[in-house]
């Protein structure tokens, strides 16, 4: 035993000493705590004493020691678990941040979406939230944002107090006026005192608990709040009912619902704007103007500017402008539209309406100037000369200068009106202030001649300064009176149609004749005639002045705003659409040869005078039948989605009726039928019906035109629309593509039009040929030569521009499809076998010139991935990958020592191609195109193929192409 060993006390056995040593060796968990240590010492001493005295057996002590050890181990494990959990929580808080609003300073980065604060060292240089992946904002930016919100709240509070102060001062000023003076009660519509909230929170009122007076006040306040809430809910229900009536085109009931809602809440601004819209539909111009003015006055009184409520103010301004236009107050309408344009500068409808209004202002200014000139001329002329002019009002009509009117085309023999013309027209209308039926036949014919001969007279007829009614107003009232009579008693329709001398019928016939002259090619006059749309449809349905009424409606359908109003009027009566379809189906073509010869003569004459695009239907408009005009009218109206949805119900009838017009030798009727089919085909359901029945007659018509020589003038609008029908059908319907592929002569016919100098015709023919090639049509050697020649011609004609047109994209897409279908080597062999075909390097050079023009200089947004430039870049990259692959195979054949390689023409041609200048544009497309888009994938394939060719590998490496590929691949994996 060593010197340091402790001897057991005398009288204690070694076994007891060993047990005592074990108890002493058990260390308490808190050894630094003196009290706990002393307590443990006392326990050990008591145990030893019990062992010595024999009160406790050694086995019991062993059990106690074992229990104590287990307890200490369990406690130690709990402490370790707690420490580990704390470490994990700290690590999680470090990695994923801690909850907070970014108000303090104990963080570096803040996630605005998750409301989490990050320390600077927890992000490892990445400024993205680990919870949501959003970009983080710095502490300084968060503090700046919070300070900005505080300042905004202060500003809002100041504005609220300012508005309240203005309201209180206005009320005090009204009190100072005294009760005996008149008071402007209209201001009461703008403010309800009980809805004005004070600075306190909008919670339950805080009142003393035991005071019965305050209890009554609390009850009254609660009842007032409940009443206010109920009024708001009722007004909202009225608004929804009004919207439903508006969708059902029951405008009168819609106005009633909106007015009922306003009786509950006059400060609900959408009720005013919706009410104005319904009133515009009913042509209640003054009421609509008043409703919009209520909204704008409210905003001016209680808001800082129109910008504080842009949506509702924009609607109010544009709708008030429409109401002002209806009242011929064009300068005021222009002012409102300019204010609306400042709120939403990119709104297309507002921009178009502003342009039309500016044209109307110019028309009015020209009318004022011409009236002033004529007045000065009358003052300068002697009485004798004025008498001579009165006796011969048309003697000097052809001596004036040609009128240049911005809003309409110059008509043949149209001259500037003289003072006698306006004076004579005014004298004629002075006789018929109530109805045009009061005019004699001779006076009516003279008035028609004056209107046809001068734009100044037509302006005067629309505005009529210094007269109680304008001529166009009298004409509209005549049409409306006849239609109203028929609506009140439908049985009178047939009676009036059989009585042409009846004053109502006579006035309607003359009104439609004059309206047709005035609205022809004149958007301003068409807008003035909006109120006549529904009455004219009634006359068409009853057969009263049907041809002229249809012509007026067809002219109105050429312009956006009148077309929308006309479509609305058409759909308000369920049987109007079916009536037009039946009228269209009654078409019987005149002698085909005579009309076709007439059209060709007119086109040739137009070409000689330098007007190749002259509208032939207008030149022969006097000979149009009711069915033809109805077809043109419904074709224009089919541009409106609401009309197309209604046409679904009679899709079969529409297609069968329109196909009657698709005749080879009737270009005018064919153009009208094609317009109807093309516009109606924008609806998918109608498009399927068109694809099943119209392709064969359309191809027959196109085939009839294909034998014309290249120098002969062709009526291009008809050809464009017929090809457009085929393109739309094959785009939407697989059955249509199959039908086109199975037509034997389809490719021969389309190849003729693919060589056209007209861009639209060529582009659509190329698109159809692409469909045929990709859908499996057999392409023989002769067809390949013809296709390549057409492609080369299109590229030669259209690649010289600064911007690459769509026809180039269609040509490149067709060439890529041809190369993919036939193979590169087979295509090159076709080039070599056919002496008429252009050389391959020339075609490729033109394609690659377009590719260099289209090289992106900025990152292309994801929404532009399907744009024509991106699609064209993707197609050219696909072509480059095909060429590079074929070139790699050709070089491999030469290296293998194949004896046939030197005698193989395609191999030599492919080996001579130099694709090195295309490496840089391909890399730019790879970097700039949207990630994972088709153009970027094609660029990646093209660059990979180029890198595999040994002669291009160094160029790819020098331009960092491999790095670009790695970066794109890494992004794709992430």
């Amino acid at each position: 035993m060593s010197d340091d060993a402790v001897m057991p006390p005398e009288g204690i056995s070694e076994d007891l000493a060993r047990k005592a040593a074990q108890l002493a060796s058990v260390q308490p968990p808190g050894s630094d705590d003196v009290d706990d240590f002393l307590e443990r010492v006392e326990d050990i001493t008591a145990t030893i004493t019990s062992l010595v005295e024999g009160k406790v057996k050694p086995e019991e002590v062993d059990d106690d020691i074992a229990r104590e050890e287990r307890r200490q181990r369990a406690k130690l494990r709990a402490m370790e678990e707690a420490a580990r959990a704390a470490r994990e929580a700290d690590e999680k808080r470090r990695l994923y941040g801690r909850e907070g609003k970014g108000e303090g300073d104990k963080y570096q980065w803040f996630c605005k979406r998750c409301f989490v604060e990050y320390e600077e060292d927890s992000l490892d240089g990445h400024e993205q939230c680990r919870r949501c992946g959003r970009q983080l904002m710095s502490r300084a930016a968060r503090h700046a944002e919070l300070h900005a919100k505080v300042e905004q709240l202060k500003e809002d509070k100041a504005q609220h107090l300012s508005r309240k102060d203005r309201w209180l001062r206005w009320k005090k000023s009204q009190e100072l006026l005294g009760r005996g003076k008149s008071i402007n009660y209209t201001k009461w519509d703008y403010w309800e005192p009980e809805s004005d909230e004070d600075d306190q929170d909008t919670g339950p009122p805080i009142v003393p608990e035991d005071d019965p007076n305050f209890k009554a006040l609390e009850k009254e306040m609660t009842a007032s709040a409940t009443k206010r809430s109920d009024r708001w809910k009722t007004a909202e229900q009225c608004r929804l009912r009004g919207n439903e009536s508006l969708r059902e085109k029951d405008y009168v009931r819609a106005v009633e619902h909106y007015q009922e809602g306003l009786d509950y809440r006059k400060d609900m601004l959408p009720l005013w704007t919706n009410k104005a819209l319904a009133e515009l539909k009913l042509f209640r111009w003054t009421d609509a103007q008043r409703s919009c003015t209520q909204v704008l006055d409210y905003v001016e009184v209680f808001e800082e500017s129109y910008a504080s409520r842009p949506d509702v103010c924009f609607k109010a301004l544009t709708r008030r402008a429409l109401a002002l236009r209806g009242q011929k107050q064009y300068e005021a309408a222009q002012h409102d539209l300019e204010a609306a344009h400042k709120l939403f500068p990119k709104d297309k409808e507002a921009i178009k309406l502003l342009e039309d209004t500016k044209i109307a202002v110019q028309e009015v200014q020209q009318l004022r100037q011409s009236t002033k000139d004529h007045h000065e001329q009358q003052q300068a002329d002697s009485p004798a000369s004025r008498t001579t002019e009165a006796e011969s009002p048309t003697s000097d009509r052809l001596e004036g200068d040609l009128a240049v009117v911005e809003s309409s085309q110059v008509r043949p023999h149209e001259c500037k009106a003289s003072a006698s013309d306006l004076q004579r027209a005014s004298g004629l209308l002075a006789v018929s202030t109530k109805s045009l039926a009061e005019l004699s036949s001779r006076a009516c014919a003279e008035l028609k001649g004056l209107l046809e001969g001068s734009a100044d007279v037509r302006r005067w007829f629309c505005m009529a300064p210094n007269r109680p009614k304008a001529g166009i107003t009298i004409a509209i009232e005549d049409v409306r009176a006849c239609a109203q009579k028929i609506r009140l008693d439908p049985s009178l329709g047939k009676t009036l149609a059989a009585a042409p001398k009846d004053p109502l019928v006579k006035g309607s016939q003359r009104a439609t004749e004059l309206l047709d002259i005035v609205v022809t090619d004149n958007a301003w006059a068409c807008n003035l005639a909006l109120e006549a749309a529904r009455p004219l449809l009634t006359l068409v349905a009853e057969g009263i002045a049907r041809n002229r009424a249809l012509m007026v409606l067809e002219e109105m359908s050429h312009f956006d705003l009148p077309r929308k109003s006309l479509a609305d009027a058409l759909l308000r009566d369920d049987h109007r659409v079916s009536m037009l379809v039946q009228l269209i189906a009654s078409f019987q073509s005149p002698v085909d040869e005579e009309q076709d010869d007439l059209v060709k003569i007119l086109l040739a004459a137009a070409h000689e005078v330098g007007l190749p695009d002259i509208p032939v239907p207008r030149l022969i408009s006097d000979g149009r039948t009711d069915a033809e005009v109805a077809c043109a009218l419904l074709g224009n109206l089919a541009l409106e989605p609401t009309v197309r949805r209604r046409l679904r119900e009679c899709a079969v009838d529409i297609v069968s009726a329109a196909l009657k017009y698709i005749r080879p030798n009737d270009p005018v009727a064919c153009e009208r039928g094609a317009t109807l089919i093309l516009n109606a085909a924008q609806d998918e359901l109608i498009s399927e019906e068109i694809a099943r029945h119209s392709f064969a007659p359309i191809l027959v018509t196109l085939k009839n035109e294909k034998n014309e020589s290249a120098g002969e003038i062709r009526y291009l609008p008809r050809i464009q629309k017929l090809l457009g029908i085929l393109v739309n059908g094959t785009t939407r319907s697989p059955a249509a593509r199959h039908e086109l592929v199975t037509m034997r002569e389809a490719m021969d016919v389309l190849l003729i039009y693919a060589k056209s100098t007209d861009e639209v015709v060529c582009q659509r023919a190329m698109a159809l040929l692409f469909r045929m090639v990709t859908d499996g049509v057999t392409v023989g050697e002769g067809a390949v030569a013809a296709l390549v020649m057409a492609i080369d011609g299109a590229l030669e004609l259209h690649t010289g521009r600064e911007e690459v047109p769509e026809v180039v994209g269609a040509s490149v897409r067709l060439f890529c499809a041809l190369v993919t279908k036939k193979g590169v080597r087979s295509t090159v062999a076709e080039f070599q076998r056919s002496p008429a075909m252009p050389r391959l390097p020339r075609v490729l050079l033109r394609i690659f010139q377009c590719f260099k023009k289209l090289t992106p200089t900025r990152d292309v947004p994801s929404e532009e991935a399907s744009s024509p430039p991106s699609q064209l870049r993707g197609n050219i990259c696909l072509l480059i990958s095909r060429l590079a692959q074929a070139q790699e195979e050709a070089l491999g054949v030469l290296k293998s020592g194949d004896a046939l390689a030197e005698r193989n023409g395609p191999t030599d041609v492919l080996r001579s191609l130099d694709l090195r200048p295309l490496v840089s544009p391909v890399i730019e497309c790879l970097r700039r195109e949207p990630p994972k888009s088709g153009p970027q994938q094609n660029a990646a394939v093209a660059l990979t193929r180029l890198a595999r060719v040994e002669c291009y590998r160094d160029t790819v490496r020098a331009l960092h192409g491999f790095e670009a590929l790695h970066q794109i691949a890494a992004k794709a994996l992430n």
Side-chain angles (χ1 to χ4, degrees):
M1 185 176 292
S2 63
D3 297 338
D4 296 334
V6 179
M7 297 297 295
E10 187 177 356
I12 298 178
S13 64
E14 294 182 0
D15 188 30
L16 293 176
R18 182 175 55 81
K19 300 294 183 180
Q22 290 179 355
L23 289 173
S25 63
V26 178
Q27 298 292 331
S31 59
D32 294 337
D33 192 345
V34 178
D35 294 336
D36 185 60
F37 176 75
L38 293 177
E39 184 178 354
R40 296 293 300 166
V41 170
E42 292 177 356
D43 292 341
I44 294 172
T45 303
T47 302
I48 294 174
T49 304
S50 300
L51 285 172
V52 173
E53 296 176 353
K55 296 180 179 179
V56 178
K57 297 180 180 180
E59 293 80 3
E60 296 178 356
V61 176
D62 290 338
D63 294 339
D64 293 339
I65 293 174
R67 282 195 298 271
E68 183 65 20
E69 290 177 349
R70 287 195 299 271
R71 189 180 69 82
Q72 292 294 334
R73 284 197 298 270
K75 189 174 181 180
L76 184 60
R77 283 196 301 272
M79 294 174 61
E80 291 176 351
E81 287 292 332
R84 185 175 61 81
R87 288 194 301 272
E88 291 179 353
D90 292 340
E91 182 66 16
K92 184 177 180 180
R93 187 162 47 253
R94 190 184 72 84
L95 293 176
Y96 295 98
R98 61 175 177 270
E99 304 292 337
K101 297 184 179 180
E103 300 172 349
D105 296 329
K106 296 182 180 180
Y107 71 95
Q108 294 296 328
W109 302 99
F110 179 74
C111 179
K112 191 175 180 180
R113 181 180 181 183
C114 304
F115 284 93
V116 174
E117 300 173 351
Y118 289 93
E119 297 179 0
E120 185 175 8
D121 59 348
S122 63
L123 296 175
D124 299 329
H126 300 286
E127 299 179 1
Q128 291 182 344
C129 179
R130 290 195 174 95
R131 300 191 183 190
C132 64
R134 298 290 184 90
Q135 189 72 18
L136 298 176
M137 61 191 310
S138 64
R139 181 178 60 188
R142 176 58 177 171
H143 284 181
E145 183 183 46
L146 292 176
H147 287 303
K149 287 184 177 181
V150 171
E151 295 299 326
Q152 183 63 39
L153 288 175
K154 292 180 179 178
E155 183 178 351
D156 293 343
K157 185 67 174 179
Q159 292 177 358
H160 170 74
L161 294 176
S162 175
R163 290 195 300 268
K164 186 173 180 180
D165 179 65
R166 281 185 293 176
W167 168 251
L168 294 176
R169 284 189 283 107
W170 181 83
K171 286 203 302 184
K172 290 181 180 179
S173 64
Q174 297 300 308
E175 293 175 358
L176 293 175
L177 293 176
R179 298 185 179 180
K181 297 183 180 180
S182 61
I183 300 177
N184 183 11
Y185 289 97
T186 58
K187 289 294 182 179
W188 290 15
D189 295 339
Y190 303 146
W191 189 268
E192 295 186 1
E194 65 270 14
S195 65
D196 180 25
E197 302 294 344
D198 289 331
D199 299 340
Q200 305 297 328
D201 295 333
T202 58
I206 302 175
V207 298
E209 297 182 358
D210 300 328
D211 194 331
N213 295 325
F214 282 102
K215 286 292 184 181
L217 179 60
E218 177 186 9
K219 184 178 180 181
E220 182 180 353
M221 293 172 63
T222 305
S224 177
T226 304
K227 181 180 178 181
R228 189 164 57 248
S229 176
D230 293 341
R231 289 168 63 88
W232 181 271
K233 292 178 181 178
T234 305
E236 178 65 16
Q237 292 174 359
C238 292
R239 186 185 69 84
L240 295 177
R241 288 197 297 268
N243 292 349
E244 185 63 27
S245 298
L246 204 62
R247 283 190 290 269
E248 295 174 355
K249 302 189 182 304
D250 189 353
Y251 303 124
V252 175
R253 189 173 295 275
V255 172
E256 293 175 354
H257 287 313
Y258 293 137
Q259 186 59 53
E260 182 183 358
L262 289 171
D263 292 339
Y264 289 97
R265 292 295 302 219
K266 293 186 181 296
D267 58 343
M268 185 180 283
L269 301 186
L271 285 173
W272 289 109
T273 54
N274 291 0
K275 178 171 174 282
L277 177 60
E279 289 165 344
L280 287 174
K281 298 292 186 181
L282 295 171
F283 306 108
R284 300 178 182 175
W285 309 122
T286 306
D287 294 340
Q289 178 187 355
R290 187 181 300 112
S291 298
C292 295
T293 303
Q294 291 276 26
V295 175
L296 298 174
D297 287 349
Y298 181 95
V299 175
E300 288 176 357
V301 172
F302 300 110
E303 303 289 346
E304 293 298 324
S305 63
Y306 292 159
S308 59
R309 301 286 295 273
D311 294 333
V312 69
C313 289
F314 178 80
K315 293 179 181 179
L317 288 168
T318 53
R319 291 171 188 176
R320 189 170 72 172
L322 290 172
L324 291 170
R325 282 168 57 92
Q327 301 173 74
K328 302 177 184 178
Q329 300 178 23
Y330 298 108
E331 290 86 354
Q334 181 179 349
H335 177 75
D336 280 352
L337 289 171
E338 289 173 348
H341 181 66
K342 293 179 181 179
L343 295 176
F344 291 96
K346 297 183 179 180
D347 189 87
K348 295 181 179 179
E349 293 187 2
I351 294 173
K352 184 65 172 60
L353 187 59
L354 178 59
E355 293 174 354
D356 293 343
T357 305
K358 289 181 178 179
I359 293 175
V361 170
Q362 293 175 1
E363 295 278 0
V364 175
Q365 291 175 351
Q366 290 179 5
L367 175 62
R368 291 172 180 170
Q369 184 62 38
S370 61
T371 304
K372 180 180 178 181
D373 294 342
H374 296 152
H375 180 70
E376 293 176 353
Q377 180 182 353
Q378 288 179 346
Q379 294 294 332
D381 292 343
S382 62
S385 63
R386 290 199 296 272
T387 305
T388 304
E389 291 177 357
E391 293 175 354
S392 179
T394 59
S395 59
D396 62 345
R397 189 175 303 160
L398 299 180
E399 297 178 2
D401 297 331
L402 290 176
V404 181
V405 185
E406 296 183 7
S407 63
S408 61
Q409 298 180 359
V410 178
R411 309 185 188 201
H413 308 295
E414 183 174 285
C415 302
K416 186 176 180 180
S418 63
S420 58
D421 291 338
L422 294 180
Q423 184 178 1
R424 182 58 181 161
S426 178
L428 292 173
L429 277 184
V431 180
S432 56
T433 57
K434 294 183 179 180
S435 173
L436 295 173
E438 300 174 359
L439 280 176
S440 64
S441 299
R442 182 177 179 180
C444 185
E446 186 175 358
L447 181 59
K448 287 172 57 179
L450 292 173
L451 290 172
E452 289 176 346
S454 172
D456 288 338
V457 178
R458 291 195 294 274
R459 293 192 194 97
W460 173 88
F461 185 81
C462 293
M463 293 296 294
N466 303 323
R467 285 183 55 83
K469 285 185 181 179
I472 194 171
T473 305
I474 299 174
I476 292 173
E477 289 178 353
D478 279 340
V479 174
R480 186 187 296 162
C482 186
Q484 185 68 21
K485 191 83 171 179
I486 295 173
R487 280 200 205 97
L488 294 176
D489 189 0
S491 61
L492 288 177
K494 295 181 180 179
T495 304
L496 292 176
K501 293 185 179 181
D502 186 277
L504 289 175
V505 178
K506 189 177 180 180
S508 299
Q509 290 175 343
R510 292 179 175 179
T512 53
E513 291 175 0
L514 298 181
L515 286 174
D516 183 37
I517 297 172
V518 171
V519 303
T520 298
D521 301 319
N522 193 325
W524 172 57
C526 288
N527 285 314
L528 293 177
L530 289 179
E531 299 180 51
R534 196 180 181 194
L536 286 172
L537 286 172
T538 302
L539 298 185
V540 171
E542 300 299 335
I544 301 174
R546 174 177 286 173
N547 190 266
R548 286 291 183 177
L550 283 170
M551 288 184 181
V552 175
L553 294 172
E554 193 260 342
E555 287 292 340
M556 292 173 64
S557 66
H558 292 167
F559 306 100
D560 294 337
L561 184 60
R563 182 172 59 246
K564 292 180 183 297
S565 180
L566 183 55
D568 185 73
L570 178 69
L571 298 178
R572 289 184 67 180
D573 298 318
D574 295 335
H575 65 284
R576 294 288 187 253
V577 175
S578 57
M579 177 268 296
L580 284 180
V581 174
Q582 293 174 5
L583 197 58
I584 293 169
S586 65
F587 170 72
Q588 293 182 355
S589 178
V591 181
D592 295 341
E593 292 78 5
E594 293 181 3
Q595 188 171 4
D596 190 47
D597 293 341
L598 173 62
V599 171
K600 291 180 179 179
I601 292 172
L602 291 173
L603 285 171
H607 182 67
E608 290 179 1
V609 299
L611 297 174
D613 297 328
I614 189 168
V616 176
R618 173 52 52 200
L619 293 179
I620 58 175
S621 60
D622 291 338
R624 290 190 294 176
T625 63
D626 295 347
E628 292 178 271
V629 185
C631 183
L633 169 62
L634 192 58
N636 293 338
L637 292 178
L639 291 171
E640 298 297 324
T642 54
V643 176
R644 290 199 298 271
R645 286 194 293 269
R646 175 63 178 83
L647 292 179
R648 292 177 185 174
E649 303 173 6
C650 51
V652 178
D653 297 335
I654 283 289
V655 176
S656 60
L659 286 178
K660 292 183 178 182
Y661 296 75
I662 308 298
R663 302 173 64 88
N665 295 322
D666 194 349
V668 178
C670 183
E671 191 266 341
R672 297 191 184 107
T675 300
L676 175 56
I677 295 177
L678 183 63
N679 293 342
Q682 298 181 46
D683 185 88
E684 294 184 3
L685 297 178
I686 302 178
S687 176
E688 294 178 1
E689 191 68 29
I690 291 172
R692 284 195 293 266
H693 298 92
S694 64
F695 274 27
I698 288 175
L699 206 62
V700 170
T701 303
L702 292 172
K703 179 183 175 181
N704 183 268
E705 295 286 343
K706 77 183 181 102
N707 295 324
E708 296 186 3
S709 61
E712 187 174 352
I713 300 174
R714 184 178 298 159
Y715 189 44
L716 289 176
R718 172 178 55 146
I719 304 301
Q720 293 173 354
K721 292 173 182 178
L722 291 176
L723 291 172
I725 294 171
L726 297 179
V727 171
N728 292 347
T730 54
T731 302
R732 292 187 173 95
S733 174
R737 292 199 296 270
H738 176 72
E739 185 176 355
L740 183 65
V741 170
T742 55
M743 292 181 178
R744 295 182 179 180
E745 298 182 350
M747 180 166 287
D748 295 335
V749 173
L750 294 175
L751 279 171
I752 297 296
Y753 294 104
K755 299 175 184 178
S756 173
T757 56
D758 182 74
E759 182 178 332
V760 176
V761 172
C762 180
Q763 186 264 335
R764 291 178 178 176
M766 290 287 185
L768 291 169
L769 290 170
F770 169 76
R771 291 286 184 189
M772 296 185 70
V773 171
T774 55
D775 287 344
V777 68
T778 303
V779 184
E781 293 184 2
V784 171
L787 286 170
V788 174
M789 291 178 65
I791 293 170
D792 183 65
L795 294 175
E796 181 181 6
L797 187 62
H798 299 290
T799 52
R801 306 181 189 177
E802 294 182 1
E803 297 183 358
V804 180
E806 292 187 10
V807 64
V808 174
S811 304
V812 172
R813 188 163 57 248
L814 176 59
F815 187 77
C816 293
L818 188 63
V819 170
T820 302
K821 184 178 181 63
K822 302 290 291 185
V824 176
R825 294 176 62 84
S826 300
T827 306
V828 174
E830 292 282 352
F831 271 85
Q832 291 185 324
R833 283 196 295 269
S834 178
M837 290 177 64
R839 297 298 90 194
L840 177 63
R842 189 179 75 182
V843 177
L844 294 178
L845 178 62
R846 288 173 177 160
I847 294 176
F848 297 154
Q849 286 176 349
C850 297
F851 186 46
K852 291 181 180 179
K853 288 182 181 179
L854 291 171
T855 302
T857 57
R858 60 176 179 83
D859 292 340
V860 180
S862 57
E863 58 270 13
E864 296 182 10
S866 58
S867 62
S870 288
Q871 294 296 318
L872 180 54
R873 287 192 290 263
N875 290 329
I876 296 178
C877 287
L878 181 62
L879 176 62
I880 293 172
S881 66
R882 303 284 186 189
L883 293 174
Q885 183 180 7
Q887 194 173 35
E888 181 187 6
E889 295 174 357
L891 293 174
V893 170
L894 292 175
K895 287 184 179 180
S896 65
D898 191 349
L900 297 177
E902 296 296 332
R903 298 193 299 270
N904 193 353
T907 301
D908 293 338
V909 174
L910 291 172
R911 186 165 54 88
S912 64
L913 290 177
D914 185 13
L915 305 179
R916 193 175 291 105
L918 304 176
V919 175
S920 177
V922 170
I923 293 175
E924 287 300 316
C925 288
L926 181 65
R927 290 172 175 168
R928 302 290 188 180
E929 290 292 345
K932 300 181 182 180
S933 62
Q936 189 190 61
Q937 294 176 0
N938 288 351
V941 174
L943 187 59
T944 304
R945 292 292 184 186
L946 289 170
R948 293 181 61 176
V949 181
E950 185 176 356
C951 58
Y952 306 139
R953 194 171 299 148
D954 293 338
T955 305
V956 174
R957 183 179 292 106
L959 296 175
H960 307 287
F962 292 107
E963 290 84 345
L965 284 172
H966 289 312
Q967 292 174 0
I968 298 301
K971 291 181 179 179
L973 292 176
N974 293 333

